[in-house]
Amino acid sequence: MNLAHKDISDDFPKSDQIYLNNASVSLMPSQSIDTMKEFLITYNSIGPDSKLSESFVTEKLRNVRKTIAKIISCQPDEVILTQSTTDGINFVSNGLSFDDNSNIIIRGMSHEHHANFYPWIRLKERISIKNLPIDNNGFFKLDDLESFVDDNTKLVALSHALYNTGSILPVEEIGKILQNKTPFFIDGAQTVGCIGDIDVSKIKCDFMSFNGSKWLCGPMGTGLFYCNRKSSELLEPITIGGESAIPYDDSKLAFKELPDKFQTGFRNYVGIVGLESSANYLLNFGIKNIREKNKYLSSLFREELSKIPNIILYGPDDQDVRTSIVSFNIKGFDSQEIVDKLEKQNIVLAVREIMEIKIIRASPHFFNTESQILQVIDAIKKL
């Protein structure tokens, strides 16, 4: 059997729901839930604050960095453990140094996800914010980007893929434009674990933030921040603690090397253990196989939706330039009302927005099945 079309639903906890909201929070494999339970039992049995527990936890943190480094093709010490995508974005927005002439470049303003919009807009009293004009799917012209960049541009901040239309931005082409000129930040929340291989060295980004509970199928409260080793010098840590710095000359402090430089306080150890288990599950299935499965499910969904009268589809038609997100509306129906009615039938979608338009967003992942997609289509027809 082609692994990309294999039914793996039995690897996840049993449910009567058809869950298609993975762009928000994904389901976790049963093995990850079991691994978290095993960790807690062991952690308590050896003493949570014992010498033995310290080496036990250190190994777990080292392992998850190695696993994530495989997924995005970086060095393990360039992976900083956080609680969310938003954490990493704030590391950059609050850690960069600006002067009165500084500017940053973003895309689409309110078309962007709040987490990758508000932190930059908050800076507008101090610096200039340049907004790239976009088309209906959220893409912009690379020529516009080139013309916007100048000697005072301190950062270009973009989403790798868009949470509302599913459009995948050409980040490698963007990276080539910005290389050795301008620092480049990517919000990878909608791509890591979803769209196949991601190589930060090919993208040439300085920073990337993403979370563990979307397409990586990890637990809530887990996030990752990629910080290029050289680019780390551009950021001043926004928090400091005993884990991230060392004192010298009685009253001076020096930051430690990556990843410790940006990590303070206790970590969400049990969450990180669950994330590592989920990430390894994805690697064993095959990141490319996940992409093929997601393309198949989303294309089937779009094709079947297009046959229903009064359906409005959003996002690119080309499956190679979108994630598995399928956004749509039905003329004459309120989007929230549709989502509420479907949830009463144990079908979970989400309401999101494209600018001022409220839309229905479905986001299947590789554990979903063809039969589930067809069941949802049938339910929509009967609304």
Side-chain angles (χ1 to χ4, degrees):
M1 176 185 290
N2 185 340
L3 201 58
H5 297 289
K6 181 183 178 184
D7 182 355
I8 55 168
S9 55
D10 286 344
D11 290 350
F12 291 74
K14 297 295 182 186
S15 173
D16 293 330
Q17 284 186 338
I18 298 177
Y19 187 81
L20 297 177
N21 192 20
N22 297 288
S24 179
V25 180
S26 189
L27 302 183
M28 288 179 62
S30 297
Q31 71 167 48
S32 300
I33 297 170
D34 294 339
T35 300
M36 292 169 72
K37 180 180 178 181
E38 291 167 9
F39 168 82
L40 288 172
I41 292 171
T42 303
Y43 190 50
N44 279 275
S45 68
I46 62 178
D49 195 21
S50 65
K51 196 168 184 178
L52 187 58
S53 72
E54 183 179 350
S55 59
F56 178 63
V57 166
T58 298
E59 181 184 10
K60 298 298 183 185
L61 301 184
R62 186 184 300 117
N63 288 343
V64 75
R65 288 195 182 95
K66 288 179 179 178
T67 302
I68 298 300
K70 289 179 185 176
I71 292 175
I72 63 172
S73 297
C74 70
Q75 297 302 312
D77 66 353
E78 295 176 313
V79 176
I80 288 92
L81 308 176
T82 69
Q83 297 182 71
S84 64
T85 305
T86 305
D87 279 351
I89 296 171
N90 279 275
F91 282 170
V92 180
S93 65
N94 293 316
L96 281 175
S97 176
F98 301 108
D99 56 42
D100 292 340
N101 297 319
S102 296
N103 68 75
I104 64 172
I105 299 171
I106 61 175
R107 176 214 63 90
M109 299 295 275
S110 61
H111 189 275
E112 184 56 81
H113 190 278
H114 298 163
N116 197 32
F117 177 44
Y118 293 170
W120 312 117
I121 293 301
R122 186 185 181 194
L123 300 172
K124 67 182 175 64
E125 301 300 326
R126 298 165 51 197
I127 63 174
S128 173
I129 309 293
K130 296 183 178 181
N131 174 42
L132 290 163
I134 57 173
D135 64 18
N136 290 335
N137 290 322
F139 293 113
F140 58 86
K141 295 178 181 177
L142 294 179
D143 287 346
D144 286 343
L145 173 62
E146 287 194 84
S147 68
F148 274 29
V149 175
D150 60 32
D151 292 339
N152 293 316
T153 304
K154 299 298 183 182
L155 186 75
V156 173
L158 301 169
S159 287
H160 191 174
L162 309 184
Y163 80 105
N164 43 19
T165 65
S167 301
I168 301 172
L169 299 187
V171 290
E172 288 193 22
E173 295 177 55
I174 294 166
K176 289 176 183 176
I177 293 171
L178 302 176
Q179 187 180 14
N180 300 322
K181 297 180 187 176
T182 308
F184 184 20
F185 168 81
I186 291 178
D187 176 348
Q190 293 299 340
T191 52
V192 181
C194 172
I195 68 162
D197 292 332
I198 294 175
D199 188 334
V200 291
S201 65
K202 289 182 180 178
I203 296 172
K204 303 183 189 305
C205 60
D206 299 88
F207 317 107
M208 175 188 282
S209 187
F210 51 103
N211 83 10
S213 59
K214 295 186 189 293
W215 304 104
L216 287 173
C217 299
M220 291 289 287
T222 58
L224 296 310
F225 176 61
Y226 160 73
C227 181
N228 179 275
R229 198 177 289 155
K230 291 182 180 178
S231 303
S232 68
E233 299 171 3
L234 299 173
L235 298 183
E236 181 80 9
I238 60 176
T239 59
I240 189 169
E243 299 81 12
S244 64
I246 53 175
Y248 68 99
D249 290 348
D250 293 331
S251 60
K252 296 180 181 179
L253 288 170
F255 289 108
K256 295 180 181 179
E257 298 297 321
L258 290 179
D260 297 330
K261 178 180 179 180
F262 295 103
Q263 294 193 163
T264 54
F266 285 111
R267 299 294 97 196
N268 176 11
Y269 298 140
V270 65
I272 292 301
V273 167
L275 173 59
E276 188 213 351
S277 178
S278 292
N280 277 318
Y281 180 87
L282 268 64
L283 284 170
N284 289 334
F285 187 86
I287 298 296
K288 290 182 180 178
N289 291 324
I290 291 171
R291 173 60 170 157
E292 289 306 309
K293 180 78 175 288
N294 285 343
K295 284 202 295 187
Y296 173 73
L297 293 173
S298 60
S299 294
L300 174 65
F301 201 177
R302 285 178 68 93
E303 181 182 349
E304 293 300 319
L305 278 175
S306 68
K307 300 174 184 177
I308 301 174
N310 297 319
I311 285 284
I312 305 168
L313 281 169
Y314 304 94
D317 291 326
D318 183 353
Q319 65 176 358
D320 291 329
V321 294
R322 56 176 164 79
T323 66
S324 65
I325 286 174
V326 178
S327 296
F328 65 99
N329 266 326
I330 307 175
K331 290 179 184 178
F333 287 81
D334 177 75
S335 54
Q336 186 64 63
E337 183 181 347
I338 292 171
V339 168
D340 291 344
K341 284 182 176 180
L342 290 174
E343 187 150 349
K344 289 178 181 177
Q345 300 177 52
N346 286 327
I347 296 169
V348 181
L349 307 182
V351 174
R352 290 297 183 264
E353 60 286 318
I354 299 176
M355 305 297 278
E356 72 282 355
I357 302 172
K358 294 292 183 182
I359 52 98
I360 304 159
R361 187 187 71 182
S363 47
H365 205 1
F366 69 124
F367 52 75
N368 291 119
T369 64
E370 177 181 325
S371 64
Q372 288 180 329
I373 298 298
L374 295 178
Q375 286 178 64
V376 175
I377 291 294
D378 188 54
I380 292 171
K381 289 178 179 177
K382 294 176 180 177
L383 289 173

